[in-house]
């Protein structure tokens, strides 16, 4: 038996376990990218429209920081400028989740030791997990390319897009594989890999936003931009992520050969014999587990909102130059024909952030499921702590977390919007109020997570991602780009039932109360089901 014995069977096992999630990624990512081609074809039907649009946005430093440089006025250029960096980041995000799940999380749960007692080589698990992440990254890229070719775009540019999407997946999968060798905990390994993901994104962001373009050579996302899909198609740049992937993977294998199963290269320090006073209650334990995630979300929301709000005052001029289609697109988000497009842009940003914020409470439900399957929940529940108190503590911080992130978003966006407009006193309260009005909708969607945990625990993770993608499909990200009639989004996405107070609507508390009651009802049913069913 060699070190790779059993790799094929483990690959098939991991593929079977990820069949739903991987399929969602492989479908969602191409749809996300190709939909932008349809979007720009509808919004900017003539070459003159596209040239005017490029002239307006091409020199905007803030937009360039988010999207990268714009290399032309063809539909492919515009689509990749709008969604390319997001797609690259999502592929890398998927790769990290997949590798950590099948490597360090398996060792932490003890399943890797069970599998390792059979005819399985030492490197089989790491190799199978890397192959799966790389395969899903490549499949998403290739389907995106085929979708673009089917839309009539240039084949060379489309396949360069495929390489650009695959590259970050290759590198960050290897980074996650290396992180899994460093620590004993899946959460710590994930934190290391996601920190690398965030840093490389920040480097690319700084490079394009600050005009320090050589920095892009230090970032996997930057390498994808340097391939210049539809703007030169520099395929050879793909050799950089391949080389980085091989080098990082080699270090991961070397470390895997030297450490014990279940241990990390960096040894964990033994904890104190007696827990600190702040950890002697269920809410304190929940806070300890949730705090890092909450702080990360809050910081990211504040930073993103501040940066996007900085370009809000220039939106009316950009929309005017781009043509009536763009102005009509913005008007869909207004409650009054006289609404200011800068206000409308801020409202669009808040709506999009609220849609993504629903992940925070749903991921808290997923964390409860992980505590349950790992056996830690059973250990905790053997003490006087009841199930409702245990789960309720996590849900309390999940609800407060949604409130905190949207508050941070409203404060940051309102402050920057007010400063750039020269009237903080007028804009800050309005933007903050609009952000807070979306919180009940976030709670209502997030409560689906605890409902799934209670009623169908084995499918809770899948249900969370299906719900998230459903609202993205019909909400702000893909629905408008696909030309899905806006009344559908208005009917099925809870955020669209919130009064558009920022764009001329009168405040009405009824939708907020109804959505809050819905969240409480869904959470209550989920907790009741959790209390009555067997664990695991």
């Amino acid at each position: 038996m060699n070190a790779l014995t059993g790799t094929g069977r483990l690959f098939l096992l991991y593929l079977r376990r990820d069949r739903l999630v991987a399929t969602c990624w492989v479908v969602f990512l191409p749809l996300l990218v190709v939909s932008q081609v349809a979007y720009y074809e509808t919004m900017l039907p003539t070459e003159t429209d596209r040239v005017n649009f490029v002239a307006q946005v091409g020199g905007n430093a803030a937009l360039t920081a988010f999207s990268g440089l714009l290399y032309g006025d063809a539909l492919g250029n515009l689509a990749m400028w709008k969604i390319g960096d997001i797609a690259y980041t999502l592929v890398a995000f998927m790769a990290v989740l997949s590798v950590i799940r099948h490597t360090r999380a398996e060792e932490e749960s003890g399943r890797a030791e069970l599998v390792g007692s059979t005819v399985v080589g030492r490197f089989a698990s790491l190799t199978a997990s890397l192959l799966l992440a790389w395969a899903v990254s490549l499949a998403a890229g290739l389907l995106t390319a085929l979708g673009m070719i089917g839309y009539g775009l240039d084949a060379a540019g489309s396949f360069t897009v495929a390489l650009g999407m695959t590259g970050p997946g290759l590198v960050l999968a290897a980074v996650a594989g290396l992180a899994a060798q460093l620590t004993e905990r899946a959460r710590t390994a994930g934190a290391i890999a996601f920190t690398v993901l965030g840093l490389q994104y920040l480097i690319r962001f700084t490079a394009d936003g600050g005009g320090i373009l050589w920095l892009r050579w230090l970032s996997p996302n930057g390498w994808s931009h340097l391939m210049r899909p539809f703007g030169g198609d520099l395929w050879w740049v793909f050799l950089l992520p391949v080389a980085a992937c091989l080098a990082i993977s080699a270090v991961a294998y070397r470390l895997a050969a030297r450490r014990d199963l279940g241990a990390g290269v960096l040894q964990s320090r033994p904890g104190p014999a007696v827990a600190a006073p702040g950890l002697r209650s269920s809410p304190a334990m929940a806070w300890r587990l949730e705090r890092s995630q909450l702080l990360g979300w809050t910081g990211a929301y504040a930073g993103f909102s501040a940066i996007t709000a900085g370009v809000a005052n220039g939106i009316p001029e950009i929309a005017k130059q781009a043509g009536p289609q763009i102005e009509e697109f913005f008007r869909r988000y207004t409650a009054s024909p006289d609404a200011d497009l800068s206000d409308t842009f801020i409202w669009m940003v808040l709506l999009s952030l609220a849609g993504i914020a629903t992940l925070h409470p749903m991921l808290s439900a997923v964390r409860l499921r992980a505590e349950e399957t790992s056996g830690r929940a059973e250990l905790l529940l053997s003490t006087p702590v009841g199930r409702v108190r245990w789960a309720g503590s996590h849900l309390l911080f999940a609800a407060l977390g949604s409130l905190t992130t949207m508050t941070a978003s409203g404060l940051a966006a309102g402050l920057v919007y007010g400063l750039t407009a020269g009237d903080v006193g007028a804009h800050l309260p309005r933007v903050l109020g609009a952000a807070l009005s979306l919180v009940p909708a976030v709670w209502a969607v997030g409560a689906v997570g605890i409902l799934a945990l209670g009623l169908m625990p084995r499918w809770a993770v899948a249900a969370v991602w299906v719900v998230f993608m459903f609202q993205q499909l019909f909400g702000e990200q893909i629905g408008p780009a696909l030309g899905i009639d806006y009344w559908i989004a208005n009917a099925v996405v809870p955020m669209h039932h919130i009064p558009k107070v920022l764009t001329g609507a009168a405040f009405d508390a009824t939708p907020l109360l109804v959505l809050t009651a819905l969240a409480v009802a869904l959470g209550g049913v989920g907790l009741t089901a959790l209390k009555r069913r067997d664990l695991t």
Side-chain angles (χ1 to χ4, degrees):
M1 182 177 73
N2 60 48
L4 296 176
T5 299
T7 299
R9 289 183 178 276
L10 280 182
F11 177 81
L12 293 176
L13 173 64
Y14 296 163
L15 183 61
R16 185 178 186 281
R17 290 182 61 192
D18 281 3
R19 61 189 183 280
L20 181 59
V21 174
T23 301
C24 289
W25 279 112
V26 170
V27 172
F28 174 72
L29 288 169
L31 191 59
L32 181 69
V33 177
V34 177
S35 65
Q36 298 305 312
V37 181
Y39 166 75
Y40 279 109
E41 186 180 45
T42 303
M43 294 294 107
L44 304 171
T46 68
E47 184 176 355
T48 303
D49 292 335
R50 293 194 291 271
V51 169
N52 289 336
F53 181 76
V54 170
Q56 285 297 314
V57 304
N60 189 304
L63 293 177
T64 302
F66 280 106
S67 304
L69 294 178
L70 183 52
Y71 292 107
D73 54 24
L75 287 176
N77 297 113
L78 295 174
M80 293 313 297
W81 174 77
K82 173 72 180 299
I83 206 67
D85 202 65
I86 295 175
Y88 306 148
T89 305
L90 286 177
V91 171
F93 181 81
M94 175 278 301
V96 170
L97 287 179
S98 177
V99 172
I100 295 296
R101 180 187 184 205
H102 294 303
T103 53
R104 178 50 61 183
E106 287 293 288
E107 288 192 41
E108 189 176 350
S109 68
R111 286 190 292 268
E113 184 176 9
L114 186 64
V115 172
S117 64
T118 63
V119 186
V120 172
R122 189 176 188 86
F123 297 151
S125 178
L126 176 61
T127 306
S129 62
L130 288 175
L131 288 175
L132 179 62
W134 294 340
V136 174
S137 302
L138 181 62
L142 288 177
L143 280 179
T144 302
L146 294 176
M148 294 181 126
I149 293 171
Y151 223 93
L153 301 189
D154 175 61
S158 300
F159 281 112
T160 307
V161 170
L163 296 180
M165 289 179 62
T166 305
L170 297 181
V171 178
L172 268 299
V175 169
L178 175 59
Q181 314 308 314
L182 296 177
T183 176
E184 297 177 0
R185 303 297 179 195
R187 290 188 62 189
T188 309
I192 294 172
F194 283 123
T195 299
V196 173
L197 173 60
L199 287 175
Q200 67 90 23
Y201 176 84
L202 188 61
I203 290 172
R204 202 286 308 159
F205 186 94
T206 304
D208 284 320
I212 317 170
L213 298 181
W214 64 269
L215 280 177
R216 294 187 297 175
W217 293 97
L218 305 179
S219 161
N221 272 29
W223 296 336
S224 297
H225 284 273
L226 287 166
M227 292 180 202
R228 301 176 59 163
F230 305 102
D233 301 324
L234 305 180
W235 295 20
W236 60 269
V237 180
F238 184 67
L239 295 175
L240 290 176
V242 171
C245 168
L246 293 176
I248 298 170
S249 297
V251 177
Y253 280 108
R254 189 171 182 82
L255 295 181
R258 295 187 173 186
R259 67 177 179 84
D260 293 331
L261 184 66
V265 174
L266 305 176
Q267 296 294 323
S268 300
R269 292 180 302 174
V274 179
L279 288 176
R280 293 175 185 174
S281 69
S282 184
M285 178 64 76
W287 165 246
R288 178 66 176 266
L289 294 174
E290 299 282 349
R291 66 182 181 184
S292 57
Q293 179 173 283
L294 174 58
L295 293 175
W297 277 79
T298 302
Y301 264 54
F304 183 82
S305 300
I307 294 170
T308 51
V311 303
N313 287 299
I315 292 299
E317 184 61 26
I318 292 175
K320 182 180 178 181
Q321 294 292 332
Q325 292 85 359
I326 294 295
E327 288 191 85
E328 176 58 28
F329 173 76
F330 279 111
R331 293 299 175 195
R332 295 178 180 179
Y333 295 88
T334 63
S336 166
D338 300 324
D340 186 276
L341 289 187
S342 297
D343 289 343
T344 307
F345 175 75
I346 294 291
W347 177 243
M348 286 175 55
V349 171
L350 294 177
L351 272 179
S352 299
L353 290 175
I356 298 172
T358 57
L359 259 183
H360 181 253
M362 288 196 288
L363 288 178
S364 294
V366 170
R367 185 187 303 280
L368 285 173
R369 177 62 183 163
E371 292 291 302
E372 182 182 348
T373 56
S374 67
R376 289 191 292 267
E378 185 177 6
L379 187 63
L380 180 66
L381 294 174
S382 65
T383 68
V385 176
R387 293 191 189 186
V388 173
R389 187 179 172 191
W390 163 64
S393 299
H394 285 267
L395 297 181
L396 172 65
F397 287 109
L400 292 177
S402 302
L403 178 63
T404 303
T405 52
M406 291 307 296
T407 301
S409 180
L411 284 172
L415 181 61
V416 174
Y417 184 30
L419 287 172
T420 54
D423 194 352
V424 175
H427 290 299
L428 179 56
R430 295 171 57 242
V431 175
L432 178 59
L436 292 177
S437 71
L438 290 164
V439 173
V442 176
W443 287 341
V445 178
V448 175
I450 187 64
L451 181 70
L453 178 68
L455 295 178
M456 47 181 189
R458 293 174 60 87
W459 294 95
V461 176
V464 162
W465 287 107
V466 168
V467 169
F468 177 71
M469 290 192 175
F470 177 83
Q471 65 160 352
Q472 295 299 312
L473 178 65
F474 290 101
E476 306 313 308
Q477 306 301 325
I478 301 179
L482 287 178
I484 296 175
D485 201 306
Y486 212 61
W487 72 266
I488 298 177
N490 287 336
V492 302
V493 178
M495 288 77 186
H496 291 201
H497 294 275
I498 301 297
K500 303 170 184 173
V501 292
L502 205 56
T503 60
F507 178 75
D508 181 4
T510 303
L512 280 65
L513 295 174
V514 170
L515 288 169
T516 302
L518 178 63
V520 172
L522 293 176
V525 172
L527 285 176
T528 302
L530 176 65
K531 185 178 179 181
R532 293 182 176 181
R533 71 171 172 82
D534 292 334
L535 286 182
T536 68

